[in-house]
Amino acid sequence: MSREITKSPKGIAAASAGASQAPALDFGRAWDYAPALEGVSHIKLQPRYGLFIGGAFRAPRSDKYFATVNPSNEQVLSEVAEANAADVDDAVRAARLAYEKYWSKMRGAERAKYLFRIARALQEKARDFAIVETMDGGKPIKESRDFDVPMAAAHFFYHAGWADKLDYAFQGRRARPLGVAGQIIPWNFPLLMAAWKIAPALACGNTVVLKPAETTPLTALLLAQLIEEAELPPGVVNIITGAGETGAALVNHADVNKIAFTGSTEVGKRIQASLAGTGKRLTLELGGKAANVVFADAPMDQAVEGIINGIYFNQGHVCCAGSRLLVEESAHDTLVRRLRDRIATMRVGDPLDKNTDVGAINSKMQLDRIRELVDAGEREGATRYSAPCALPSKGYWFAPTFFTGVAQSSRIAREEIFGPVLSVLTFRTPDEALEKANNTMYGLSAGVWTDKGAKIFWMAERLKAGVVWGNTFNKFDPSSPFGGYKESGFGREGGRQGLAAYVELDG
Ligand code: NAP
Ligand code: MG
């Protein structure tokens, strides 16, 4: 039987067997996957969650609760407690007591056992955590399943390994814990950010009070349940839900020794100002506007995938997203054409479908912000291209989009959009690429794509960014420190450098 290569309407080449005998295949439809929904019937969320303080859940003193919704369909998933200042005070007291009574006295090897226990329990319950992360935050199940949850477990495993080796981490200096750490996290990687915060703090002998974001509290509460089951001494980890005021009460509590904050630059600045002169330790992981620099000699297929991953991963809700594409002028047209073809194939829709590439925007507020900046991009004269996909009628959605003809001065080149929106700019020489890449108030991450290793090293030395990826993007490992320069914050999370944020060094 003869085989012929047929071009599909989308320009995808495919082999069709004996066209005269078999009905012609519609490659447009053949390219679509059947829905593959993750089963959720076994997920039993409580209608209401209290605060996890002193090793048990309890009602908030405020008597107030707020709803957390699924952003892909606007359905209320559960109600969670809104901690007020008195609740924050209870949580800090519980953490202080646990620090003095148990945790600061425990040998590192014993602390490690608890961290290993949490890590293993997370692996055992990985599927449930992934599903709830996707329901509460809107990210595709393949990301929560393959990235967020395994990385969260990896952070507990990694830091468990350090707990009894702190004497070797700082070249002969003795490391002492700080005391009570107040930790505040955003909504883009709810479980993973909780792991980034809790694991190093506990490994170093501190106790914690953690506040998840208002729109994504559920996996932190599931983590609290898991911590209860792991029988950590009561009060070592306290998880309190609430809004910005709850976070501010934690920041300003007199008996907290350290604040670790991940979130917007605006709130980070406010926190830094309110802590000035208090002697409390502070680390800030803030916003970003990363340059992804593509030279004409780059491996283009890989670069396209890296750009896609860099900006459309997690709907662009990524502080280190490669949101500014700097492409060498001679490669611009080819690259833009390929990007356009590639984003047309991305699947936007139900985050619980295993085929979905781009899920829901986390909240109405975030969607409004993305729209506002995209409108500004159009008004400022850039050319917009959005993938031609049908968006669900319920929930918060934004099609993968990029802008060409973007001026450096325009808002979409300067401000963090925190959505699936890429701004494309051009350069002619490595110096110009560098100058444009560094022309931002942020400095969290950057990417360089080229065939020449020397060019990657030349750029990496000069880019003012905490992380520089060479011929790849958005790769993480618990042993690799992550953090920013300039208005992206200070301090590192992960690696030996990340431990330093949770210890006092003698000698
Ligand atoms: P956000 O408004 O700064 O909120 C972050 C966290 O701080 C949330 O838990 C929030 O509570 C809380 N908060 C709000 N106001 C506060 C205050 N006055 N004092 C103490 N805590 C307060 O940021 P977001 O909109 O949730 O997150 C998006 C931003 O985070 C982006 O700018 C992104 O770049 C940044 N981010 C950075 C990193 C990094 O590693 N550098 C990682 C992820 C995200 P509510 O949720 O209740 O408002
Ligand atoms: Mg939610």
Side-chain angles (χ1 to χ4, degrees), residues 6-44:
T6 321
K7 276 269 186 201
S8 79
K10 284 186 175 174
I12 296 146
S16 119
S20 53
Q21 289 100 338
L25 287 177
D26 175 349
F27 288 101
R29 271 193 287 123
W31 190 241
D32 281 339
Y33 292 92
L37 290 177
E38 182 72 53
V40 298
S41 54
H42 64 292
I43 300 289
K44 302 274 179 277

Side-chain angles (χ1 to χ4, degrees), residues 32 40 72 132 140 181 337 339 354 369 371 406 452:
D32 281 339
V40 298
S72 74
V132 175
R337 199 168 52 243
L339 271 181
K354 292 167 204 159
R369 178 167 162 74
R371 285 183 173 150
V406 178
K452 303 279 179 293

Side-chain angles (χ1 to χ4, degrees), residues 279-342:
K280 288 180 198 168
R281 294 268 296 268
L282 175 65
T283 42
L284 295 175
E285 302 274 8
L286 308 175
K289 190 76 190 173
N292 206 358
V293 182
V294 181
F295 287 95
D297 63 1
M300 281 301 160
D301 289 341
Q302 283 162 254
V304 169
E305 289 312 306
I307 295 160
I308 294 284
N309 174 263
I311 185 64
Y312 303 120
F313 169 56
N314 199 27
Q315 296 75 244
H317 296 335
V318 185
C319 47
C320 53
S323 54
R324 282 184 304 149
L325 174 63
L326 297 184
V327 54
E328 191 164 351
E329 207 171 80
S330 57
H332 174 268
D333 294 355
T334 313
L335 189 59
V336 165
R337 199 168 52 243
R338 287 198 191 195
L339 271 181
R340 202 180 45 211
D341 291 348
R342 181 64 180 84

Side-chain angles (χ1 to χ4, degrees), residues 47-53 57-68 78-84 87 211-214 217-218 221 239-243 246:
R48 256 189 181 185
Y49 287 88
L51 304 169
F52 185 66
I53 296 178
F57 281 91
R58 66 151 176 79
R61 285 181 191 263
S62 68
D63 257 343
K64 286 191 192 152
Y65 291 82
F66 59 93
T68 185
S78 193
E79 283 191 344
V80 300
E82 187 179 320
N84 65 14
D87 293 309
K211 191 201 92 70
E214 213 173 325
L218 291 180
L221 292 165
I239 295 184
I240 52 168
T241 44
T246 310

Side-chain angles (χ1 to χ4, degrees), residues 232-279:
L232 254 76
V236 169
V237 174
N238 305 276
I239 295 184
I240 52 168
T241 44
E245 297 81 61
T246 310
L250 181 55
V251 166
N252 295 317
H253 194 289
D255 200 31
V256 169
N257 302 95
K258 186 227 157 70
I259 294 292
F261 173 81
T262 297
S264 60
T265 293
E266 184 196 340
V267 174
K269 283 181 179 177
R270 229 179 295 155
I271 289 176
Q272 191 176 13
S274 65
L275 291 191
T278 62

Side-chain angles (χ1 to χ4, degrees), residues 24 53 55 73 105 107 111 114 122 130 136 145 250 265 310 345 350 391 452 461 472:
I53 296 178
N73 56 21
K105 295 193 176 139
R107 287 171 50 234
R111 292 199 305 274
Y114 287 104
L122 262 179
D136 203 17
R145 181 196 62 197
L250 181 55
T265 293
T345 69
D350 190 345
L391 299 178
K452 303 279 179 293
E461 268 175 29
T472 188

Side-chain angles (χ1 to χ4, degrees), residues 52 114 188 190 209 216 278-279 281 336 347 366 448 496 504:
F52 185 66
Y114 287 104
N188 56 348
V209 178
T216 54
T278 62
R281 294 268 296 268
V336 165
R347 279 156 227 289
Q366 188 57 24
V448 184
R496 206 165 51 84
E504 201 76 70

Side-chain angles (χ1 to χ4, degrees), residues 161-440:
W162 269 122
D164 61 348
K165 301 175 195 69
L166 294 173
D167 288 345
Y168 309 99
F170 302 100
Q171 298 181 339
R173 299 176 76 186
R174 204 174 139 255
R176 283 184 295 116
L178 300 172
V180 176
Q183 309 183 316
I184 299 166
I185 56 174
W187 44 259
N188 56 348
F189 292 95
L191 178 69
L192 184 57
M193 288 298 118
W196 278 30
K197 295 276 180 285
I198 295 173
L202 297 194
C204 293
N206 306 280
T207 57
V208 311
V209 178
L210 175 108
K211 191 201 92 70
E214 213 173 325
T215 57
T216 54
L218 291 180
T219 46
L221 292 165
L222 295 193
L223 182 63
Q225 286 176 339
L226 186 150
I227 283 169
E228 195 179 1
E229 286 160 20
E231 295 179 348
L232 254 76
V236 169
V237 174
N238 305 276
I239 295 184
I240 52 168
T241 44
E245 297 81 61
T246 310
L250 181 55
V251 166
N252 295 317
H253 194 289
D255 200 31
V256 169
N257 302 95
K258 186 227 157 70
I259 294 292
F261 173 81
T262 297
S264 60
T265 293
E266 184 196 340
V267 174
K269 283 181 179 177
R270 229 179 295 155
I271 289 176
Q272 191 176 13
S274 65
L275 291 191
T278 62
K280 288 180 198 168
R281 294 268 296 268
L282 175 65
T283 42
L284 295 175
E285 302 274 8
L286 308 175
K289 190 76 190 173
N292 206 358
V293 182
V294 181
F295 287 95
D297 63 1
M300 281 301 160
D301 289 341
Q302 283 162 254
V304 169
E305 289 312 306
I307 295 160
I308 294 284
N309 174 263
I311 185 64
Y312 303 120
F313 169 56
N314 199 27
Q315 296 75 244
H317 296 335
V318 185
C319 47
C320 53
S323 54
R324 282 184 304 149
L325 174 63
L326 297 184
V327 54
E328 191 164 351
E329 207 171 80
S330 57
H332 174 268
D333 294 355
T334 313
L335 189 59
V336 165
R337 199 168 52 243
R338 287 198 191 195
L339 271 181
R340 202 180 45 211
D341 291 348
R342 181 64 180 84
I343 67 170
T345 69
M346 295 188 87
R347 279 156 227 289
V348 184
D350 190 345
L352 282 168
D353 189 326
K354 292 167 204 159
N355 301 313
T356 292
D357 298 310
V358 178
I361 300 302
N362 184 263
S363 65
K364 169 84 169 49
M365 214 171 83
Q366 188 57 24
L367 180 59
D368 289 344
R369 178 167 162 74
I370 296 168
R371 285 183 173 150
E372 194 238 323
L373 277 159
V374 164
D375 289 348
E378 287 189 283
R379 269 200 313 277
E380 285 176 326
T383 306
R384 169 180 174 178
Y385 179 78
S386 289
C389 52
L391 299 178
S393 54
K394 269 265 184 208
Y396 316 123
W397 303 93
F398 203 86
T401 292
F402 65 79
F403 279 97
T404 54
V406 178
Q408 276 197 84
S409 56
S410 68
R411 285 185 67 194
I412 53 170
R414 308 191 72 78
E415 293 180 32
E416 183 176 48
I417 302 175
F418 226 59
V421 182
L422 175 71
S423 298
V424 185
L425 296 93
T426 58
F427 67 88
R428 287 184 180 164
T429 65
D431 283 318
E432 189 188 348
L434 191 65
E435 195 187 311
K436 284 185 167 165
N438 284 337
N439 182 14
T440 168

